[in-house]
Amino acid sequence: MHLATQCNQNAVFGFTRIMRKAKLLWHKITHWEYWPYQIVYLPVYFQYGYYALRMRSLFFFSLANSGFSNGGFFTTSKKEIYDTIPKEYYPKTLLFEPNTPFETILESIQNEEISFPIIVKPDVGLRGTAVKKIETEHELKNTLSSISYPFLIQELVSYSNEIGLFYVKLPNENQGKITGIVSKEFLTVIGNGKANIKALLLENPRFAFQLETLAKDSKIDLNHIPSEGEKVTLVPFGNHCRGAKFIDESHLISKELTATFNSICNQINGFNYGRMDIMFDNFSDLENGKHFKIIEINGVISEPTHMYDPKHSLFFGWKELLRHYKYLYKIAKFELKNGKKPIAHAVGKNEFKKHFEHLIKIT
């Protein structure tokens, strides 16, 4: 009798697991924000091909941000970009090579007055891959033992809100424009006093996709039962691939905000096209250039991520991609007319190769 009961329980468990996977697969199929980029970018390929023919270069986009190597292409160093930004606008950031003695790293952190918790991330990364929040020296030492690439240590920004702000301007102009704003809801569950974190994650397909990754995090107890109304933020980063929800907040674009970021971006040498990820507490302060930090600037590979708001259709996404690639082309065309050259074809191919080799290292 006991054996039969056990078999029935296993069968029920197996069926439940299969149904859960089927439900998540259907969610991916019916929500284009999860589709492979090769499909999402389908109309862009034709537009890109046309621009490449006119510019006689597959890598014409490398002209867009003259202050960043290769315009901020895949393999551009984050630290290089930080160094173009006035220090008051971004968190304290240190660059280290792999195998740097731990004592040297700790000394540098102390000299810069960076306190735990801290952020560790690859100097060359993509979409939040390998970004970690580190609580203690012991945890830092364990984390660094497995890192084989140049990495950044950065102070943790305590502001509670994050947006991505897309900015474009022609190189000969002082006045650019903000073309989109996306806000980011971090992966946060709200307790009901009964269900554990794992069960709460399974209630939301966006969160359920992260379950396997979260299960590997020793700092997260999936069996913990949060009290009623308790908020538990499991991933404190605004990355779509880490479970964050993107919300189009482009209606927040104002004359004041545009003026503020025209002033800021004019202080960043050669920055004409890209998305700034910004943390802040109060939007009114942000409009006036107060109490915020630029977490990162992404160059020519930037996406107008406000298009990934679940309320938007795939056609809206295509429209935004085509609109932004047109801006990219106009900036590159201006630079070409003024004597600048895009990176050579062989160089561009090599950058792609280095990018994919690096992705293997950090994932």
Side-chain angles (χ1 to χ4, degrees):
M1 183 69 178
H2 176 72
L3 182 60
T5 301
Q6 184 67 43
C7 289
N8 286 336
Q9 287 177 343
N10 289 340
V12 171
F13 177 77
F15 179 75
T16 302
R17 192 173 181 181
I18 291 171
M19 290 301 295
R20 184 187 304 145
K21 286 187 176 181
K23 183 179 179 181
L24 290 178
L25 177 61
W26 181 248
H27 187 83
K28 276 190 174 182
I29 292 172
T30 56
H31 292 75
W32 71 269
E33 62 179 296
Y34 295 105
W35 291 5
Y37 75 88
Q38 294 94 335
I39 297 176
V40 173
Y41 275 70
L42 189 60
V44 176
Y45 299 147
F46 297 98
Q47 181 194 38
Y48 176 81
Y50 172 69
Y51 290 157
L53 284 172
R54 295 201 65 177
M55 297 285 285
R56 299 183 180 179
S57 169
L58 284 174
F59 300 98
F60 67 88
F61 53 80
S62 63
L63 289 168
N65 295 315
S66 59
F68 306 164
S69 62
N70 302 332
F73 194 29
F74 281 132
T75 56
T76 302
S77 159
K78 293 181 188 293
K79 185 61 167 63
E80 174 197 323
I81 295 177
Y82 283 127
D83 287 343
T84 67
I85 308 170
K87 287 189 174 182
E88 65 266 28
Y89 296 140
Y90 69 93
K92 294 177 183 177
T93 304
L94 299 171
L95 170 65
F96 296 99
E97 293 297 320
N99 301 316
T100 300
F102 186 65
E103 294 72 19
T104 302
I105 293 172
L106 278 184
E107 184 179 354
S108 299
I109 291 173
Q110 291 164 2
N111 289 341
E112 285 296 315
E113 299 182 342
I114 298 175
S115 58
F116 286 87
I118 59 175
I119 298 295
V120 175
K121 59 186 177 182
D123 183 42
V124 175
L126 184 67
R127 293 185 171 183
T129 303
V131 178
K132 295 182 178 180
K133 179 182 176 183
I134 305 297
E135 302 282 353
T136 65
E137 290 184 12
H138 178 70
E139 186 183 351
L140 177 62
K141 190 172 186 178
N142 288 339
T143 299
L144 298 186
S145 66
S146 61
I147 289 181
S148 60
Y149 44 82
F151 62 92
L152 301 176
I153 287 180
Q154 192 172 68
E155 69 174 335
L156 180 69
V157 176
S158 60
Y159 297 131
S160 57
N161 298 312
E162 182 177 344
I163 61 168
L165 183 150
F166 211 109
Y167 180 84
V168 300
K169 73 178 177 68
L170 286 174
N172 66 325
E173 296 178 348
N174 291 323
Q175 303 299 309
K177 62 182 177 179
I178 300 168
T179 59
I181 294 176
V182 62
S183 67
K184 305 175 182 183
E185 287 185 359
F186 301 159
L187 199 167
T188 301
V189 295
I190 301 176
N192 58 15
K194 300 176 182 178
N196 62 20
I197 289 177
K198 181 178 179 180
L200 293 171
L201 288 169
L202 290 173
E203 290 177 1
N204 185 329
R206 183 180 304 279
F207 298 167
F209 289 130
Q210 304 300 316
L211 188 57
E212 186 176 340
T213 300
L214 294 173
K216 297 175 183 177
D217 191 332
S218 60
K219 293 185 293 183
I220 297 175
D221 180 6
L222 295 178
N223 294 315
H224 170 67
I225 300 176
S227 59
E228 187 170 356
E230 179 186 354
K231 292 184 178 181
V232 182
T233 299
L234 299 169
V235 181
F237 318 119
N239 300 109
H240 190 267
C241 65
R242 302 287 295 274
K245 180 180 179 181
F246 286 2
I247 302 172
D248 188 353
E249 300 276 15
S250 298
H251 64 276
L252 295 175
I253 298 172
S254 64
K255 291 181 180 178
E256 293 80 10
L257 189 68
T258 302
T260 290
F261 279 90
N262 272 324
S263 175
I264 292 169
C265 293
N266 283 333
Q267 298 174 60
I268 302 172
N269 180 47
F271 175 56
N272 304 305
Y273 178 97
R275 192 189 69 248
M276 292 174 276
D277 294 331
I278 301 162
M279 294 200 72
F280 65 99
D281 272 335
N282 181 286
F283 193 81
S284 178
D285 283 346
L286 179 63
E287 275 191 314
N288 291 287
K290 301 176 183 177
H291 311 307
F292 73 94
K293 291 292 181 183
I294 298 173
I295 305 302
E296 282 189 10
I297 293 182
N298 301 278
V300 294
I301 60 168
S302 298
E303 287 186 299
T305 48
H306 59 277
M307 72 182 188
Y308 289 116
D309 187 322
K311 73 182 180 185
H312 289 317
S313 69
L314 177 59
F315 295 103
F316 178 90
W318 284 345
K319 178 176 70 72
E320 288 301 281
L321 285 171
L322 295 173
R323 179 168 74 104
H324 283 79
Y325 267 76
K326 187 173 183 179
Y327 287 131
L328 187 59
Y329 165 69
K330 285 182 175 180
I331 295 167
K333 183 179 178 182
F334 177 90
E335 294 286 46
L336 186 68
K337 283 186 176 180
N338 283 274
K340 294 182 180 178
K341 302 293 183 184
I343 58 175
H345 185 74
V347 174
K349 281 180 63 179
N350 190 50
E351 292 299 304
F352 265 113
K353 181 181 177 182
K354 285 162 52 180
H355 164 68
F356 289 112
E357 289 174 349
H358 181 66
L359 268 185
I360 294 172
K361 283 185 178 182
I362 66 177
T363 52

